[in-house]
Amino acid sequence: MGSFKGHALPGSFFLITGLWWAAKQTFLYATRRNKSAGAGRLASRATQRRIEIIEGAVILSFSIIGMLAEQLLAGGPKFQLYDSSTQHWEQLMNWQHTTMYLFFAIAGAISLTVHSTDIAPLALDRMLLGLAFFNEGFLFLYHLHGRDMLDVHVHTLLLYAIFGQAFICLLEVFHRGNILLELLRANLTILQGSWFWQIGFVLYPPSQVKWDQTDHDNSVFVTLCYCWHLAFALLTVAVVYWSVLCAVRSRLRRIPPMEMGLLKPRKKEVESEDEIL
Amino acid sequence: MGSFKGHALPGSFFLITGLWWAAKQTFLYATRRNKSAGAGRLASRATQRRIEIIEGAVILSFSIIGMLAEQLLAGGPKFQLYDSSTQHWEQLMNWQHTTMYLFFAIAGAISLTVHSTDIAPLALDRMLLGLAFFNEGFLFLYHLHGRDMLDVHVHTLLLYAIFGQAFICLLEVFHRGNILLELLRANLTILQGSWFWQIGFVLYPPSQVKWDQTDHDNSVFVTLCYCWHLAFALLTVAVVYWSVLCAVRSRLRRIPPMEMGLLKPRKKEVESEDEIL
Amino acid sequence: MGSFKGHALPGSFFLITGLWWAAKQTFLYATRRNKSAGAGRLASRATQRRIEIIEGAVILSFSIIGMLAEQLLAGGPKFQLYDSSTQHWEQLMNWQHTTMYLFFAIAGAISLTVHSTDIAPLALDRMLLGLAFFNEGFLFLYHLHGRDMLDVHVHTLLLYAIFGQAFICLLEVFHRGNILLELLRANLTILQGSWFWQIGFVLYPPSQVKWDQTDHDNSVFVTLCYCWHLAFALLTVAVVYWSVLCAVRSRLRRIPPMEMGLLKPRKKEVESEDEIL
Amino acid sequence: MGSFKGHALPGSFFLITGLWWAAKQTFLYATRRNKSAGAGRLASRATQRRIEIIEGAVILSFSIIGMLAEQLLAGGPKFQLYDSSTQHWEQLMNWQHTTMYLFFAIAGAISLTVHSTDIAPLALDRMLLGLAFFNEGFLFLYHLHGRDMLDVHVHTLLLYAIFGQAFICLLEVFHRGNILLELLRANLTILQGSWFWQIGFVLYPPSQVKWDQTDHDNSVFVTLCYCWHLAFALLTVAVVYWSVLCAVRSRLRRIPPMEMGLLKPRKKEVESEDEIL
């Protein structure tokens, strides 16, 4: 994975996931807030469950694809861990990435189970998502031995986003349905995604000019750059939030709310899973 | 910004902000507590909103002024980031300060939006204020490479106040309207402001005598001095709290509470934004 | 305790404890959730108390046995702390292990007292369990001076599980009866147990081939291995959770719930201790 | 203060304070729990206020005495901070201890104000107590430069107790009246007190034999010793808790509860300050 593509790929995944989370959570928040105006019909509890199940399935399948790619593609260890002839471990970096994917696969599988059955409390999905992020950060933390100064620095900055996500998932276990935490998580996921791209550009620049890995000024610039990525992620989440909110409202304005209120005055179903907690 | 003025300026800003926050939060707290005595008239919900909107606008405009000053004043990079001729980054320190101001500008703009519309939850203003403080501390943290021992030490002490503010803003997201947290935030803001002045005096003393940057005794004295600044900030907040409380009470005593109770017994408006949460 | 057996023994204890906690907490959770279906009869409040008392007694007696073994078995200091003739402390490592056991003995004794009398709040048992884990981690932290790199690394990894358990016990003081925290605690206990076994295999391998204590690749592999132990612990807890839940449900299906509802409609006893809080 | 007495004195203060807190909090807890049995008469709200006011006054006066002693006794700087002739700071260590006392004086004064007037929320006393402990730990942290290994180690261990107390005070701001937190605070205060005595014995042993400040075995033993102090503090708090609880119960048994219930069935006063929150 020591290549430009190897960083752009997970970066794109996280970018898409972050955008999706921002849109999904805003949508659910808007329907919760406008329930009296008939927004419940936009996202009934069954629809929500289906969304969560699909999300879990997508995360699970992409993680499995990632694990297989890391193992089987050119240069992968092909599920062999130890080479007895040379007495060396085989491709430990690929095994690390496989393990990162493994925990996201577990989180996806559990999310799938939690939302398709009623066997476990809902908050379990966030706890395992948090564990997956923590595990990712944990492996990155012990991943940096003996690299160049700038290389270590850009990966250290990445850890802020990753451990931030893990911490927010833990908070969500206790404060489920808090839109601020949900948007902050989406925000940090976008930050992680765009920063993966930035790492690719810094360590494996497409142009001829290489970055001086030991120049302190480069390290200062990279820190600054990280803050700008964060500002960009904030802007992105704000735009997504605003668009989804407007879309839900304009959709609601087109539905005559009175009629519904008259026809089904007693139908009182729980619209949102989060409110059950 | 490596000058006495460059530290006195943000110091003054933070001092004024801290004093303003102490006064504002005490005033809102006093009206909440004395609502039955008619204090609601002193600060109706509309007035509160207006105060918050003005505060957001002031923070936003001052941050923009700060950004422009950092870029355009003598020695600024004038929005040029990279000098291709010398292959060096341009004035990274000014860019760092610009970025710090940028996040306060974002926090101001969001606060303005949150309080002038109902598009987002109120607690968003505190979350972005916390993010702005965190970002300030984050940049200061990676700001200290290769400086003298005393210089590093005075800036490290500053970080306690800055990260303390960020942490308290995070707590306020969940415990909004807790007067103790609000006063502690004002307190740390005053501490940060007065410490900026102290840094100016230590690193760029107006008198001829320079401080020995490597003497350990100076470092011990500076640590002590930081505690005295904290005690001074506590005293200032206590005086402001006491004065505002007395002013509200004396004002209320002059309003005949009975009359109001008789004339408008049914008028029940939500006086404080924070209670809606 | 510097031997394979010395690590396998506590490892087995923690493994068994973790499995027991996963089963116990799931069982209590299942009875709480299915109370309306008559699950209260499976675990009345008296039964729960008895389980907790037995648990406390078992922890207390095993800890005392551990303390005596550390002191009296071959090579132990036999309660002598200082050898005046050589002017050296006697067997400090045995004394460290004795102290670790001591705090678990205290936690067991307090749990016994809390559940057999009503003299103190229930949450005290978790607080002292957390203190016992914290103390274990604290002693391990100051235990690593001057060892080989790999030796330090495997014990550092152990600290994540131990301090994680302490932190979760602290959270449980405030969020008692949260099944997610309880399962996470069981999970980390199993992780700690299986990792003790792994440490035994790494530092005192039964085969002839010794691990190279200074090879960085070994250290990377061991970090990876820790993540796999965590995944294995997650799987184990999930299997236990699933089995216990199915057992409770199948048991409930065999009890005619109607009859009970008809015969004792007014008997309303508090089924679970945790609900009292 | 670099003497045996200089450590025994604050040690004794903290020991007494810890014992007092354990007794006071248990007493208030017992009256809260047995209110229906007439325990309210043992500690009416007025009595509680009086106790808190006396406590605040005692802390305030002892802190002022401590400040004066540090300044005026033999070797003190007599309020002179800078010696212009030698261009050196005067007795910075005494000034550090004066500053530690200053913050406890502030906490005492605020506690006095909070409980004798209704000008501020009750939780303010805990917040400033936490700040005083934090300040103490903060100054100790920057206090250790250039000392011997064992000297640094015993003071580092002290920091665990001090920052633990600060953290618990912060938790108490949000969970006021939680007996477990209150007892843990008393526990850590006793630990801090007895550890001050231990530091005195280690650094300034009364006997002829000095401790070898650089022997690693001594450092290991001291860590162990710290755990035993903690166990001893736990035991002390347990004994105090048990005695006070028994005393309250035996006292209540001697009061005929029926009579009171019959004579004053409507008198409903708020017994405990903490319940108002």
Side-chain angles (χ1 to χ4, degrees):
Chain A
M1 212 161 162
S3 67
F4 182 77
K5 270 189 198 164
H7 285 90
L9 202 75
S12 310
F13 279 141
F14 280 117
L15 271 177
I16 294 167
T17 312
L19 288 170
W20 158 244
W21 277 343
K24 186 188 79 169
Q25 304 293 3
T26 309
F27 177 66
L28 294 179
Y29 173 69
T31 54
R32 275 203 302 270
R33 264 183 35 162
N34 299 297
K35 213 175 359 172
S36 58
R41 270 183 298 168
L42 289 183
S44 67
R45 201 183 155 192
T47 320
Q48 280 183 43
R49 285 209 149 200
R50 223 168 298 135
I51 292 176
E52 296 282 0
I53 290 169
I54 293 170
E55 190 188 303
V58 169
I59 290 178
L60 176 59
S61 43
F62 272 78
S63 303
I64 290 175
I65 292 170
M67 287 165 76
L68 294 177
E70 283 288 340
Q71 290 291 330
L72 302 178
L73 285 198
K78 298 183 179 53
F79 297 108
Q80 195 189 344
L81 183 58
Y82 192 72
D83 186 343
S84 340
S85 59
T86 63
Q87 300 223 332
H88 267 96
W89 303 103
E90 279 285 331
Q91 310 285 358
L92 279 178
M93 194 172 277
N94 289 66
W95 277 102
Q96 284 183 326
H97 299 142
T98 309
T99 307
M100 291 180 192
Y101 283 120
L102 171 68
F103 275 81
F104 283 103
I106 293 175
I110 291 288
S111 178
L112 202 64
T113 317
V114 163
H115 290 283
S116 59
T117 69
D118 64 339
I119 203 176
L122 282 180
L124 192 61
D125 59 348
R126 297 292 149 81
M127 179 168 269
L128 278 156
L129 192 61
L131 205 62
F133 280 123
F134 178 81
N135 181 68
E136 189 195 350
F138 177 77
L139 280 174
F140 269 122
L141 194 67
Y142 288 101
H143 198 223
L144 304 175
H145 185 88
R147 298 198 182 185
D148 281 332
M149 190 264 277
L150 192 65
D151 195 344
V152 168
H153 188 57
V154 291
H155 281 95
T156 308
L157 292 174
L158 192 65
L159 289 179
Y160 282 86
I162 296 174
F163 283 121
Q165 284 169 296
F167 178 63
I168 286 165
C169 285
L170 180 67
L171 281 181
E172 278 192 88
V173 170
F174 298 101
H175 297 272
R176 194 184 179 85
N178 184 324
I179 182 70
L180 293 180
L181 290 179
E182 289 165 345
L183 289 181
L184 193 55
R185 175 160 51 91
N187 183 33
L188 289 178
T189 310
I190 292 174
L191 172 62
Q192 193 188 341
S194 69
W195 192 248
F196 261 117
W197 275 89
Q198 180 75 45
I199 292 179
F201 277 109
V202 169
L203 299 186
Y204 314 97
S207 69
Q208 292 311 90
V209 192
K210 300 284 169 219
W211 289 54
D212 182 353
Q213 297 270 328
T214 52
D215 182 11
H216 182 251
D217 258 19
N218 279 341
S219 155
V220 171
F221 168 71
V222 154
T223 313
L224 258 176
C225 204
Y226 188 73
C227 293
W228 300 338
H229 277 259
L230 176 58
F232 157 79
L234 282 173
L235 185 72
T236 314
V237 169
V239 168
V240 171
Y241 179 83
W242 170 268
S243 324
V244 172
L245 218 63
C246 287
V248 167
R249 284 187 179 176
S250 77
R251 185 83 188 266
L252 284 177
R253 237 172 282 131
R254 270 178 287 142
I255 304 174
M258 281 303 286
E259 187 192 358
M260 195 200 85
L262 286 171
L263 290 179
K264 319 180 189 170
R266 272 169 218 121
K267 195 188 150 203
K268 222 175 176 172
E269 55 170 330
V270 182
E271 316 286 355
S272 160
E273 284 205 320
D274 293 342
E275 290 167 30
I276 306 171
L277 281 178
Chain B
M1 213 159 160
S3 67
F4 181 78
K5 271 188 197 164
H7 285 90
L9 202 75
S12 309
F13 280 140
F14 280 117
L15 271 177
I16 293 167
T17 313
L19 288 170
W20 158 245
W21 278 342
K24 186 189 79 168
Q25 305 293 4
T26 308
F27 177 66
L28 294 179
Y29 172 69
T31 55
R32 277 203 301 270
R33 265 182 36 163
N34 299 298
K35 212 173 2 172
S36 58
R41 272 182 297 169
L42 289 184
S44 67
R45 202 183 153 193
T47 320
Q48 281 183 44
R49 285 210 148 199
R50 223 168 298 137
I51 292 176
E52 297 281 359
I53 290 169
I54 293 171
E55 190 188 303
V58 169
I59 291 177
L60 176 59
S61 43
F62 272 78
S63 304
I64 290 176
I65 292 171
M67 288 165 75
L68 293 177
E70 284 288 340
Q71 290 290 332
L72 301 179
L73 285 198
K78 297 183 179 53
F79 295 109
Q80 196 189 344
L81 183 58
Y82 191 71
D83 186 344
S84 338
S85 59
T86 62
Q87 300 224 331
H88 266 95
W89 303 103
E90 278 286 330
Q91 309 284 357
L92 279 178
M93 194 172 277
N94 288 67
W95 277 103
Q96 284 182 326
H97 299 142
T98 309
T99 307
M100 291 180 190
Y101 282 121
L102 171 68
F103 275 80
F104 282 104
I106 293 175
I110 292 289
S111 178
L112 202 64
T113 317
V114 162
H115 290 284
S116 58
T117 68
D118 65 340
I119 203 176
L122 283 181
L124 192 60
D125 59 348
R126 297 292 149 80
M127 179 168 270
L128 278 156
L129 193 62
L131 205 62
F133 280 123
F134 178 81
N135 180 69
E136 190 195 349
F138 177 77
L139 281 175
F140 268 122
L141 195 66
Y142 287 101
H143 197 221
L144 305 175
H145 184 87
R147 298 199 182 183
D148 281 333
M149 189 265 276
L150 193 64
D151 196 344
V152 169
H153 188 57
V154 289
H155 282 95
T156 308
L157 292 174
L158 191 65
L159 289 178
Y160 282 85
I162 296 174
F163 283 122
Q165 284 169 296
F167 178 64
I168 286 165
C169 285
L170 180 66
L171 281 181
E172 279 193 88
V173 169
F174 298 101
H175 296 273
R176 194 183 179 84
N178 184 324
I179 182 70
L180 293 180
L181 290 179
E182 290 165 345
L183 290 181
L184 193 55
R185 175 160 50 91
N187 183 33
L188 289 177
T189 310
I190 292 174
L191 172 62
Q192 192 189 341
S194 69
W195 193 247
F196 260 118
W197 274 88
Q198 181 74 47
I199 293 180
F201 277 109
V202 169
L203 299 187
Y204 313 98
S207 69
Q208 294 310 92
V209 192
K210 301 284 168 218
W211 289 53
D212 182 353
Q213 297 270 330
T214 52
D215 182 12
H216 182 251
D217 258 19
N218 279 340
S219 156
V220 170
F221 168 72
V222 154
T223 314
L224 258 178
C225 204
Y226 189 72
C227 293
W228 299 338
H229 276 260
L230 176 58
F232 157 79
L234 282 173
L235 185 72
T236 313
V237 170
V239 168
V240 170
Y241 180 82
W242 171 268
S243 323
V244 172
L245 218 63
C246 287
V248 167
R249 284 187 181 178
S250 77
R251 185 83 188 266
L252 284 177
R253 236 172 283 131
R254 272 176 286 140
I255 304 173
M258 282 302 287
E259 187 191 0
M260 194 198 85
L262 287 170
L263 290 178
K264 319 181 190 170
R266 271 168 219 122
K267 194 186 148 204
K268 220 174 178 173
E269 55 170 329
V270 182
E271 316 286 356
S272 161
E273 285 205 320
D274 293 342
E275 290 166 30
I276 306 171
L277 282 178
Chain C
M1 213 159 160
S3 67
F4 182 77
K5 271 188 197 165
H7 285 90
L9 203 73
S12 310
F13 279 140
F14 280 117
L15 270 176
I16 294 168
T17 312
L19 288 170
W20 158 245
W21 277 343
K24 186 189 78 169
Q25 304 293 4
T26 310
F27 177 66
L28 294 180
Y29 172 70
T31 54
R32 276 204 302 270
R33 263 181 38 160
N34 299 297
K35 214 177 353 175
S36 58
R41 269 183 300 169
L42 289 183
S44 67
R45 200 182 156 193
T47 320
Q48 281 184 42
R49 286 210 148 199
R50 222 168 299 135
I51 293 175
E52 297 282 0
I53 290 169
I54 293 169
E55 189 188 303
V58 169
I59 291 177
L60 176 60
S61 43
F62 273 78
S63 303
I64 289 175
I65 292 169
M67 287 165 75
L68 294 176
E70 283 289 340
Q71 290 291 332
L72 302 178
L73 286 198
K78 298 182 179 53
F79 297 108
Q80 196 188 347
L81 183 58
Y82 192 72
D83 186 342
S84 340
S85 59
T86 63
Q87 301 222 331
H88 267 95
W89 303 103
E90 279 286 330
Q91 310 284 356
L92 280 178
M93 193 172 278
N94 289 66
W95 277 102
Q96 284 183 325
H97 298 143
T98 309
T99 306
M100 292 180 190
Y101 282 121
L102 172 66
F103 275 80
F104 283 103
I106 294 175
I110 292 288
S111 178
L112 201 63
T113 316
V114 162
H115 291 283
S116 59
T117 68
D118 64 341
I119 204 175
L122 283 180
L124 192 62
D125 59 349
R126 296 291 148 81
M127 178 168 270
L128 278 156
L129 193 62
L131 206 62
F133 280 123
F134 178 81
N135 181 67
E136 189 195 350
F138 177 78
L139 281 174
F140 269 122
L141 195 66
Y142 288 101
H143 198 222
L144 304 175
H145 184 88
R147 298 198 182 185
D148 280 332
M149 190 264 277
L150 192 64
D151 195 343
V152 169
H153 188 58
V154 290
H155 281 96
T156 307
L157 292 173
L158 191 64
L159 289 179
Y160 282 85
I162 295 174
F163 283 122
Q165 284 170 295
F167 178 63
I168 286 165
C169 286
L170 180 66
L171 282 180
E172 278 192 89
V173 170
F174 298 101
H175 297 272
R176 194 184 179 85
N178 184 325
I179 182 70
L180 292 180
L181 290 179
E182 290 165 346
L183 291 181
L184 193 54
R185 175 160 50 91
N187 183 33
L188 289 177
T189 310
I190 293 174
L191 172 62
Q192 193 188 341
S194 70
W195 193 247
F196 261 117
W197 275 88
Q198 181 74 44
I199 292 179
F201 277 109
V202 169
L203 300 187
Y204 315 97
S207 69
Q208 293 310 92
V209 192
K210 300 285 168 217
W211 289 53
D212 182 352
Q213 297 270 329
T214 52
D215 181 13
H216 182 251
D217 258 20
N218 278 341
S219 155
V220 171
F221 168 72
V222 154
T223 313
L224 259 177
C225 204
Y226 188 72
C227 292
W228 300 338
H229 276 259
L230 177 57
F232 157 79
L234 282 173
L235 184 73
T236 314
V237 170
V239 168
V240 170
Y241 180 83
W242 171 268
S243 324
V244 172
L245 218 62
C246 287
V248 167
R249 284 185 181 180
S250 78
R251 185 81 188 268
L252 285 177
R253 236 172 283 132
R254 270 177 286 141
I255 303 174
M258 283 301 285
E259 186 191 0
M260 194 198 84
L262 285 171
L263 290 179
K264 319 182 190 170
R266 273 170 217 120
K267 195 187 149 203
K268 219 175 178 170
E269 56 169 330
V270 182
E271 315 287 356
S272 161
E273 285 206 321
D274 292 343
E275 290 168 30
I276 306 172
L277 282 178
Chain D
M1 214 160 160
S3 67
F4 182 77
K5 270 188 198 164
H7 285 90
L9 202 74
S12 309
F13 279 140
F14 279 117
L15 270 176
I16 294 168
T17 312
L19 288 170
W20 158 245
W21 278 342
K24 185 188 78 168
Q25 305 292 6
T26 309
F27 177 66
L28 294 179
Y29 173 69
T31 54
R32 277 203 302 271
R33 265 183 35 162
N34 298 298
K35 214 176 355 174
S36 58
R41 270 183 297 169
L42 290 183
S44 66
R45 201 183 155 193
T47 320
Q48 279 183 44
R49 285 210 147 197
R50 222 168 298 136
I51 293 175
E52 297 282 359
I53 290 169
I54 292 169
E55 189 188 304
V58 168
I59 292 178
L60 177 59
S61 43
F62 273 79
S63 304
I64 289 176
I65 292 170
M67 287 166 76
L68 293 177
E70 284 288 340
Q71 290 291 333
L72 301 179
L73 285 198
K78 298 183 179 53
F79 295 109
Q80 196 189 345
L81 183 58
Y82 192 71
D83 186 343
S84 337
S85 59
T86 63
Q87 300 223 330
H88 266 96
W89 303 103
E90 279 285 330
Q91 310 283 357
L92 280 177
M93 194 171 278
N94 288 67
W95 277 102
Q96 285 183 324
H97 298 142
T98 308
T99 307
M100 291 180 190
Y101 282 121
L102 172 68
F103 274 81
F104 282 103
I106 293 174
I110 292 287
S111 179
L112 202 63
T113 316
V114 162
H115 290 283
S116 58
T117 68
D118 65 339
I119 203 175
L122 282 181
L124 191 62
D125 60 347
R126 296 291 149 81
M127 179 168 270
L128 278 157
L129 193 61
L131 205 63
F133 280 124
F134 178 80
N135 181 68
E136 190 195 350
F138 177 77
L139 281 174
F140 268 122
L141 194 67
Y142 287 100
H143 197 223
L144 305 175
H145 185 87
R147 299 200 182 182
D148 281 332
M149 189 265 274
L150 192 64
D151 196 344
V152 168
H153 188 57
V154 289
H155 282 95
T156 308
L157 292 173
L158 191 65
L159 289 179
Y160 282 86
I162 296 174
F163 284 122
Q165 284 169 296
F167 178 64
I168 286 165
C169 285
L170 180 67
L171 281 181
E172 279 192 89
V173 170
F174 298 101
H175 296 273
R176 193 183 179 85
N178 184 324
I179 182 71
L180 293 180
L181 290 179
E182 290 165 345
L183 290 181
L184 193 54
R185 175 160 50 91
N187 183 34
L188 289 178
T189 310
I190 292 174
L191 172 62
Q192 192 187 342
S194 69
W195 192 248
F196 261 117
W197 275 88
Q198 180 74 47
I199 292 180
F201 277 109
V202 169
L203 299 187
Y204 315 97
S207 69
Q208 291 312 90
V209 192
K210 300 285 168 217
W211 290 54
D212 181 354
Q213 297 270 329
T214 52
D215 182 12
H216 182 250
D217 259 18
N218 279 340
S219 155
V220 171
F221 167 72
V222 154
T223 314
L224 259 176
C225 204
Y226 188 73
C227 293
W228 299 338
H229 277 259
L230 177 57
F232 156 79
L234 282 173
L235 185 71
T236 315
V237 170
V239 168
V240 171
Y241 180 83
W242 171 267
S243 324
V244 172
L245 218 63
C246 288
V248 167
R249 285 187 179 178
S250 77
R251 185 85 187 265
L252 285 176
R253 236 172 283 131
R254 271 177 287 142
I255 303 173
M258 282 303 285
E259 186 192 1
M260 193 197 85
L262 286 170
L263 291 179
K264 319 181 190 170
R266 271 167 216 122
K267 195 186 148 204
K268 220 174 178 173
E269 55 170 330
V270 182
E271 316 286 355
S272 160
E273 284 205 322
D274 292 343
E275 289 168 31
I276 306 171
L277 283 177

